[in-house]
Amino acid sequence: MRRIGILTSGGDCQGLNAAIRGVAKGLYEEIGNDIEIFGIHNGYAGLIHGDYRKMNKSDFSGILTVGGTILGTSRQPFKMMRVKEDENSIDKVQAMKEHYKKMGLDCLVILGGNGTHKTANLLSEEGLNVVTMPKTIDNDVWGTEMTFGFQSAVDIATQVIDCIHTTATSHGRIFIVEVMGHKVGWLNLYAGIAGGADIILLPEIPYDLNEVAKVIDKRESEGKRFSILAVAEGAISKEEAQMKKRDFKAQRAQMPYPSISYKIAKELEDKTGHEIRVTVPGHFQRGGSPCAYDRVLCTRFGAAAARLIKNGQYGFMVALQNEKIVPVPLSEVAGKLKRVPADSDIIEAAKEIGISFGD
Ligand code: F6P
């Protein structure tokens, strides 16, 4: 009997259930009924506290299109993994190892993003058999061209920009749509291009608001009555990019606006004399059913993860590289962030058709 645990960790996204289904169906097909699958609740928290349930084959049916995660999730910061909850307790890594042993697991399947992968690698280094799948709407996991959840979120953010377009053209207004992504701008970049944004501000390309104002003025002088800005949550100005990280964080913490878009809107209003509206779709971008692309990707990732487990190949993340699903060692993935290269093809193409990055 092989015993497999599955957990979903970090911010949720579309496709988590599709990926859970993919790996479970793959395991039943590859190994047969000689397996027991345990669903660990709420991410690493469930493994730390021994909160899990035995799953049945039927639990994995009918969930391909369902949003969220049937297992629940939570954020468990990597830096807290060695911290004890109280004097008498063991640290979280020890607790996870003990529950893994107590459950009699042969392998742990972990679905998560960047932070999750640091802990997954640590558990692997500590001797647990781990296989992971890369999830996140941010598409910032190193080692894979695509994470699941990303394309679904791009579709939603694009729809928001599409809808804003119709009201912006009707009123002749300037709009900011704030797209998720604190550290990286893939989601904003793709949605901005797909939605036909005029200006795209990313964390990777610090902006100069005078440049942004010039673009708006130029559009106006060409008779365009509206402008659309796609602004990533983590967009930063050129001045901020020069600051020490600590000072920057302190300044942002004191910012009298709910998010960067409102600050940009106020400053641009002062510069251009136009009224500027802000739309923040927020967690909407992580919700609902996975798009067709993500359903296929999750199924491929799931099948590949099951194959690794069947062959006893542990310590890997399944990844998309050059159209193929390949195993990438966790030690190569952990601690790295896949940011948008400022000189990438996609940025170049966007610039060639006149999209401004405010730089
Ligand atoms: O990592 C996914 C993500 O949705 C980011 O795009 C966003 O910045 C962050 O999570 C929001 O985190 P939370 O759900 O904890 O508010």
Side-chain angles (χ1 to χ4, degrees):
M1 181 66 71
R2 311 256 312 255
R3 300 180 129 217
I4 321 288
I6 308 183
L7 65 84
T8 54
S9 163
D12 73 337
C13 71
Q14 303 89 341
L16 282 164
N17 290 325
I20 292 170
R21 168 187 178 268
V23 69
K25 286 196 180 250
L27 286 168
Y28 286 120
E29 285 295 321
E30 295 270 348
I31 303 177
N33 285 329
D34 201 23
I35 54 164
E36 272 181 347
I37 300 182
F38 292 87
I40 298 162
H41 300 155
N42 307 322
Y44 289 122
L47 195 55
I48 294 166
H49 300 293
D51 180 12
Y52 55 87
R53 69 180 185 274
K54 187 172 168 315
M55 311 285 284
N56 299 312
K57 213 170 175 179
S58 60
D59 290 326
F60 303 105
S61 291
I63 60 171
L64 174 64
T65 62
V66 180
T69 161
I70 57 167
L71 299 177
T73 189
S74 65
R75 290 194 192 276
Q76 301 293 326
F78 177 71
K79 61 177 182 222
M80 301 303 285
M81 283 299 164
R82 290 293 188 190
V83 176
K84 295 177 182 178
E85 282 187 0
D86 58 67
E87 266 180 25
N88 303 320
S89 65
I90 49 176
D91 77 34
K92 297 182 175 63
V93 177
Q94 277 311 113
M96 286 194 277
K97 282 170 73 175
E98 287 199 359
H99 281 119
Y100 178 97
K101 225 166 152 193
K102 201 165 151 199
M103 290 164 78
L105 294 181
D106 294 293
C107 173
L108 180 62
V109 180
I110 299 173
L111 285 63
N114 270 305
T116 298
H117 274 88
K118 286 197 222 168
T119 300
N121 182 50
L122 179 57
L123 292 177
S124 173
E125 285 172 351
E126 289 281 321
L128 306 195
N129 294 331
V130 175
V131 169
T132 72
M133 291 192 247
K135 70 89 223 188
T136 166
I137 64 166
D138 297 330
N139 195 29
D140 59 356
V141 177
W142 193 91
T144 184
E145 280 152 26
M146 203 56 75
T147 58
F148 66 85
F150 174 66
Q151 296 286 348
S152 302
V154 168
D155 285 353
I156 295 174
T158 302
Q159 264 181 42
V160 174
I161 300 176
D162 287 350
C163 292
I164 290 300
H165 245 114
T166 62
T167 177
T169 48
S170 307
H171 284 268
R173 271 179 172 157
I174 297 164
F175 268 93
I176 292 178
V177 177
E178 184 176 285
V179 177
M180 272 188 162
H182 266 120
K183 292 186 182 152
V184 303
W186 290 110
L187 179 55
N188 189 44
L189 177 63
Y190 273 64
I193 293 175
D198 308 297
I199 297 153
I200 297 177
L201 303 184
L202 307 174
E204 291 89 344
I205 306 181
Y207 63 80
D208 175 349
L209 269 196
N210 292 321
E211 285 304 316
V212 176
K214 269 190 215 160
V215 177
I216 293 170
D217 288 346
K218 183 166 173 276
R219 282 178 55 79
E220 213 182 340
S221 68
E222 289 166 352
K224 309 237 171 77
R225 293 180 65 236
F226 71 96
S227 289
I228 308 267
L229 287 83
V231 173
E233 284 175 314
I236 61 166
S237 68
K238 288 195 171 175
E239 300 85 70
E240 287 172 322
Q242 299 299 324
M243 292 168 78
K244 286 202 181 109
K245 208 171 164 190
R246 209 186 39 198
D247 298 340
F248 167 67
K249 275 191 171 173
Q251 184 173 295
R252 277 289 172 95
Q254 306 231 314
M255 183 172 77
Y257 303 99
S259 70
I260 186 63
S261 295
Y262 291 90
K263 179 172 186 279
I264 292 176
K266 172 75 183 70
E267 289 172 4
L268 269 183
E269 279 185 346
D270 293 345
K271 281 186 195 298
T272 63
H274 290 294
E275 209 182 354
I276 299 178
R277 294 277 198 270
V278 177
T279 294
V280 183
H283 290 76
F284 217 86
Q285 292 162 93
R286 294 204 321 225
S289 190
C291 66
Y293 180 96
D294 276 335
R295 295 178 200 181
V296 174
L297 186 64
C298 289
T299 303
R300 293 179 73 195
F301 278 158
R307 217 178 301 131
L308 287 178
I309 296 166
K310 182 192 165 205
N311 297 333
Q313 288 176 273
Y314 303 119
F316 292 100
M317 175 185 84
V318 292
L320 180 72
Q321 289 182 5
N322 300 317
E323 299 299 314
K324 291 211 161 52
I325 307 294
V326 294
V328 178
L330 287 174
S331 55
E332 285 180 23
V333 175
K336 294 187 198 143
L337 200 58
K338 189 183 73 184
R339 307 188 86 216
V340 179
D343 59 355
S344 57
D345 275 23
I346 185 164
I347 299 277
E348 204 179 311
K351 283 187 170 173
E352 277 169 1
I353 68 139
I355 296 174
S356 166
F357 289 84
D359 55 338

